[in-house]
């Protein structure tokens, strides 16, 4: 550890001086004890500030000073309209989110793409409507933001806006319309394209469609990210597809929440690394993110075969009301999941109706025993009664593979969650604890306790690495002239407290969070300020 202090040029009166903390600057370099001076929204000085005046001084002795954490995999486009403070993220030290992942973004919202989101708007009390990112950003900025917001353009939005939720290839004219919508999104400030190739309508897109759109992204120096077609049985084939997209489109590619899902697929980890490492050695620019848990979370109807989604939500519900169709669906599900234990590993995390609130946090196996139905019949019942608005948690991964993925130099940390609060309209159900605990969990369990990562390495995976990867300028490092997005935490106390049983718990050990030079968290409490900004491409 370098404890040397150096005197620096006169900086005048600072707004804030942070004194005697262990600076870990986000680059991966070794930490050093030093002072930091802030003026306005920028870092003004780094060095010995003993002779400098400041309006406010934070004594950070014994604490770590880090760049604000950047969450490269967020889903807050709608929850931040309902509650712009985003407490679940800022209390973790997240100062910037990258949204629009897994093929779903705030825009474009045209035709069926908008219709599909009406349930979200109603549930979150969102009154205003928009079609483009430009319109959405204006609404977001008018409400104010608790943290910085960047976004990808969702392929699902683009496809649904042009051809709906139909299982077919786009015509030449439709492909041109999709290109135009993507270009509009990138001009408005989106930083790339995301796909969700196991969700409708992305599940119906052939690789040629994605390559064509990714070539558009390449022209704007953007990035292509993917929730791949499979993270289990067809994992390796899906990685090969992602690599091919990067190669043929000439675009950087990023795999969302890299995992080996399902016990029978845990043994694919070496082959998975061989594919990614081999591609990188051949010049393919590929990275990934991962959350520090062995359970995933998505909509409960992800269990259904992909053909059931065609035509949108109403058509899907009609299929779930047909005895003949349900029998076909049941056969396919049981072929894929023949083991009884599977139903014990799927927990309902949120429902819309009061009638079924008792199911939240319970497994499908337990719920089926309570209503005297088999698990598949229970699945059908819940989806029908809740009009598909059911989220679930899937316990499908193992700890050893998680640790190996986290250690890879091309893995950054992402929560795969939306910003919420511990009260109000966004505090519903029993969501995955990653929404409140991801970043402190990495620093506590996987860094301090298990020693999977070094502290400087962990912080780089949360700051400098994602900033560089996603083109977030003048953020992600503690550096003079950079924006003052800063986290101050106790390395001996930082830890997650959110659990699957009680997910709405803020972490321990984070003392201060600054965003654009403004203190958002002080003495472990969120302040009523909204200093965040929309960060646009270019």
């Amino acid at each position: 550890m370098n404890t040397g202090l150096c005197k620096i040029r006169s900086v005048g009166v600072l707004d804030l001086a942070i004194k005697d903390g262990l600076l870990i600057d986000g680059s991966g370099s070794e930490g050093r004890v030093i002072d930091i001076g802030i003026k306005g929204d920028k870092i003004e000085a780094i060095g010995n500030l003993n002779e400098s005046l400041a309006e406010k001084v934070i004594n950070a002795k014994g604490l770590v000073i880090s760049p604000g954490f950047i969450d490269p995999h967020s889903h807050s486009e709608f929850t931040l309209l309902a509650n712009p403070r985003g407490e679940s993220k800022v209390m973790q030290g997240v100062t910037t989110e990258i949204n629009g992942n897994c093929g779903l973004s705030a825009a474009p919202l045209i035709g069926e793409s908008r219709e599909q989101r009406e349930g979200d708007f109603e549930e979150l009390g969102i009154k205003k409507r928009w079609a483009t990112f430009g319109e959405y950003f204006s609404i977001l900025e008018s409400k104010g933001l608790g943290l910085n917001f960047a976004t990808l353009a969702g392929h699902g939005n683009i496809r649904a806006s042009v051809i709906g939720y139909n299982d077919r290839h786009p015509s030449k004219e439709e492909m041109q319309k999709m290109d135009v919508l993507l270009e509009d999104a990138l001009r408005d400030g989106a930083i790339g394209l995301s796909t969700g190739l196991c969700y409708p309508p992305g599940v119906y897109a052939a690789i040629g469609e994605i390559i064509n759109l990714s070539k558009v992204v390449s022209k704007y120096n953007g990035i292509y990210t993917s929730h791949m077609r499979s993270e289990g049985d067809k994992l390796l084939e899906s990685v090969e597809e992602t690599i091919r997209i990067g190669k043929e489109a000439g675009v950087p590619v990023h795999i969302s929440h890299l995992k080996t899902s399902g016990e029978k697929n845990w043994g694919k980890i070496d082959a998975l690394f061989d594919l990614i490492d081999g591609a990188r050695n051949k010049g393919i620019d590929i990275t990934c993110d991962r959350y520090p848990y062995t359970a995933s979370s998505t909509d409960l109807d992800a269990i259904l075969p992909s053909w059931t989604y065609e035509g949108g939500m109403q058509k899907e519900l009609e299929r779930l009301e047909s005895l003949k169709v349900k029998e076909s669906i049941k056969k396919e599900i049981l072929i894929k999941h023949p083991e009884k234990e599977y139903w014990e590993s799927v927990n309902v995390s949120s429902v819309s109706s009061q009638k079924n609130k008792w199911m939240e946090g319970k497994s499908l196996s337990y719920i089926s025993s309570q209503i005297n139905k088999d698990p598949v019949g229970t699945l059908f019942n819940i989806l029908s009664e809740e009009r598909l608005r059911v989220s679930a948690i899937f316990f499908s991964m193992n700890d050893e593979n998680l640790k190996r993925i986290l250690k890879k130099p091309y893995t950054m940390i992402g929560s795969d969650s939306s910003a919420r609060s511990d009260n109000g309209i966004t505090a519903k159900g029993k969501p995955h604890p990653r929404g409140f605990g991801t970043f402190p969990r990495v620093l506590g369990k996987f860094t301090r306790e298990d020693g999977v990562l070094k502290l400087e390495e962990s912080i780089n995976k949360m700051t400098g690495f994602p900033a560089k990867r996603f083109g977030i300028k003048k953020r992600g490092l503690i550096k003079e002239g950079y924006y003052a997005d800063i986290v101050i935490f106790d390395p001996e106390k930082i830890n997650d407290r959110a659990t699957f049983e009680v997910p709405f718990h803020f972490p321990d050990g984070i003392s201060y969070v600054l965003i654009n030079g403004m203190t958002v968290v002080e003495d472990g409490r969120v302040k009523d300020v909204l200093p965040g900004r929309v960060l646009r491409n270019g």
Side-chain angles (χ1 to χ4, degrees):
M1 182 189 302
N2 179 2
T3 59
L5 294 175
C6 56
K7 288 195 175 183
I8 59 171
R9 59 184 169 78
S10 173
V11 294
V13 179
L14 298 164
D15 294 325
L16 174 66
I18 304 171
K19 304 294 290 294
D20 298 326
L22 176 62
L23 170 61
I24 299 181
D25 66 8
S27 68
S29 299
E30 185 180 2
R32 53 188 173 137
V33 175
I34 208 162
D35 304 336
I36 298 171
I38 295 165
K39 186 180 288 187
D41 60 358
K42 300 274 189 14
I43 297 168
E44 179 75 9
I46 301 171
N48 185 337
L49 301 181
N50 288 341
E51 298 178 10
S52 298
L53 296 177
E55 296 289 340
K56 181 178 179 180
V57 175
I58 292 175
N59 180 359
K61 189 171 184 178
L63 304 178
V64 168
I65 306 167
S66 162
F69 304 147
I70 296 173
D71 189 346
H73 195 111
S74 292
H75 291 280
S76 302
E77 38 274 307
F78 303 135
T79 58
L80 284 174
L81 288 178
N83 177 9
R85 292 173 67 183
E87 292 99 327
S88 67
K89 293 296 181 75
V90 298
M91 282 291 284
Q92 291 187 62
V94 174
T95 58
T96 297
E97 285 189 322
I98 296 169
N99 290 280
N101 285 284
C102 301
L104 171 63
S105 57
L109 287 180
I110 301 166
E112 290 187 40
S113 179
R114 178 185 287 187
E115 292 169 16
Q116 196 86 346
R117 301 273 71 83
E118 285 298 330
D120 296 319
F121 298 152
E122 183 177 339
E123 192 171 290
L124 292 169
I126 297 170
K127 304 299 183 185
K128 292 187 176 181
R129 299 292 183 268
W130 62 90
T132 68
F133 274 113
E135 293 166 349
Y136 171 75
F137 290 155
S138 294
I139 296 169
L140 206 56
E141 289 171 327
S142 69
K143 290 180 70 71
L145 277 167
L147 70 171
N148 300 314
F149 181 100
T151 188
L152 300 151
H155 165 257
N157 292 63
I158 293 168
R159 194 176 216 271
S161 292
V162 175
I163 61 176
Y165 290 79
N166 299 306
D167 183 4
R168 64 174 176 83
H169 297 305
S171 66
K172 183 178 179 180
E173 292 73 23
E174 288 168 335
M175 196 68 240
Q176 289 172 344
K177 289 180 180 178
M178 292 166 68
D179 287 349
V180 169
L181 286 178
L182 177 55
E183 288 217 45
D184 288 344
L186 294 165
R187 288 196 193 102
D188 278 345
I191 61 175
L193 174 72
S194 78
T195 55
L197 298 179
C198 68
Y199 300 126
V203 68
Y204 306 128
I207 188 171
E209 178 180 323
I210 308 303
I211 290 171
N212 185 79
L213 290 169
S214 294
K215 287 179 179 177
V216 175
V217 173
S218 182
K219 289 194 302 182
Y220 287 81
N221 298 314
I223 190 169
Y224 168 71
T225 79
S226 184
H227 180 141
M228 300 183 298
R229 292 189 195 274
S230 173
E231 298 172 322
D233 294 352
K234 298 287 186 180
L235 170 65
L236 302 181
E237 294 89 337
S238 297
V239 173
E240 287 172 342
E241 179 183 48
T242 305
I243 292 168
R244 181 182 163 193
I245 291 166
K247 182 179 181 180
E248 295 194 19
V251 69
V253 294
H254 181 86
I255 298 173
S256 297
H257 38 61
L258 184 69
K259 62 175 74 81
T260 53
S261 185
E263 187 171 355
K264 62 185 175 180
N265 298 305
W266 293 350
K268 296 177 179 177
I269 188 76
D270 290 324
L272 171 66
F273 290 153
D274 285 346
L275 273 176
I276 297 174
D277 293 339
R280 286 169 60 85
N281 289 338
K282 292 176 182 176
I284 303 297
D285 190 0
I286 182 169
T287 54
C288 69
D289 61 67
R290 180 58 199 263
Y291 45 81
Y293 300 84
T294 55
S296 62
S297 182
T298 189
D299 295 334
L300 183 62
D301 69 346
I303 296 173
L304 304 180
S306 61
W307 57 265
T308 62
Y309 311 138
E310 186 180 4
M313 295 173 68
Q314 188 53 44
K315 290 291 185 183
E316 184 179 345
L317 285 165
E318 288 173 11
R319 294 183 182 105
L320 291 174
E321 291 168 4
S322 165
L323 290 175
K324 184 177 180 181
V325 176
K326 282 197 292 187
E327 195 58 38
S328 296
I329 296 172
K330 182 175 182 178
K331 285 180 181 177
E332 284 198 41
I333 290 173
L334 291 178
I335 289 171
K336 187 174 182 180
H337 304 292
E339 64 280 7
K340 290 183 179 180
E341 295 79 11
Y342 174 75
W343 305 102
E344 296 171 3
S345 69
V346 181
N347 282 14
V348 170
S349 61
S350 69
V351 296
S352 295
S353 72
Q354 285 299 317
K355 171 189 173 185
N356 291 327
K357 285 288 180 187
W358 67 272
M359 297 179 181
E360 292 178 342
K362 306 294 193 303
S363 71
L364 283 180
S365 179
Y366 175 82
I367 295 168
S368 65
S369 72
Q370 297 301 298
I371 65 174
N372 296 314
K373 279 188 176 290
D374 66 279
V376 179
T378 300
L379 170 69
F380 293 156
N381 265 33
I382 297 171
L383 290 173
S384 293
E385 288 183 1
E386 298 297 323
R387 308 295 294 173
L388 305 177
R389 299 192 62 75
V390 193
S391 297
I393 293 172
F394 299 80
F395 296 85
S396 61
M397 294 166 268
N398 82 329
D399 199 54
E400 184 56 35
N401 282 3
L402 166 59
K403 290 176 180 177
R404 292 182 66 186
I405 291 170
L406 290 176
K407 284 177 72 67
K408 281 294 182 179
Y410 47 76
T411 303
M412 60 193 72
I413 309 302
S415 74
D416 191 12
S417 70
S418 58
R420 297 173 178 259
S421 177
D422 61 346
N423 62 81
I425 199 165
T426 62
K428 293 181 178 179
K430 290 197 174 181
H432 198 299
R434 63 194 182 190
F436 282 74
T438 288
F439 295 86
R441 183 173 177 83
V442 169
L443 293 169
K445 174 177 170 52
F446 290 96
T447 303
R448 182 184 64 243
E449 296 173 12
D450 294 351
V452 175
L453 299 167
K454 294 179 180 178
L455 185 57
E456 289 86 353
E457 187 180 9
S458 292
I459 289 176
N460 172 254
K461 287 174 176 285
M462 301 174 176
T463 59
F465 183 19
K468 183 177 181 181
R469 184 60 170 161
F470 287 90
I472 308 298
K473 296 181 176 64
K474 292 197 172 182
R475 300 181 196 271
L477 298 175
I478 301 286
K479 191 174 180 180
E480 289 182 7
Y482 272 49
Y483 291 99
D485 293 349
I486 294 173
V487 182
I488 304 174
F489 66 89
D490 187 331
E492 298 304 318
K493 293 181 180 178
I494 191 166
N495 222 353
D496 62 311
R497 295 173 61 234
T499 66
F500 289 99
E501 294 75 25
V502 188
F504 293 97
H505 263 323
F506 294 127
D508 286 331
I510 294 181
S511 302
Y512 296 89
V513 178
L514 281 72
I515 298 177
N516 295 312
M518 189 174 293
T519 304
V520 177
V521 174
E522 185 167 3
D523 296 327
R525 296 186 178 184
V526 180
K527 300 181 73 175
D528 190 16
V529 293
L530 299 172
R533 298 171 183 171
V534 173
L535 307 181
R536 294 170 172 85
N537 181 34

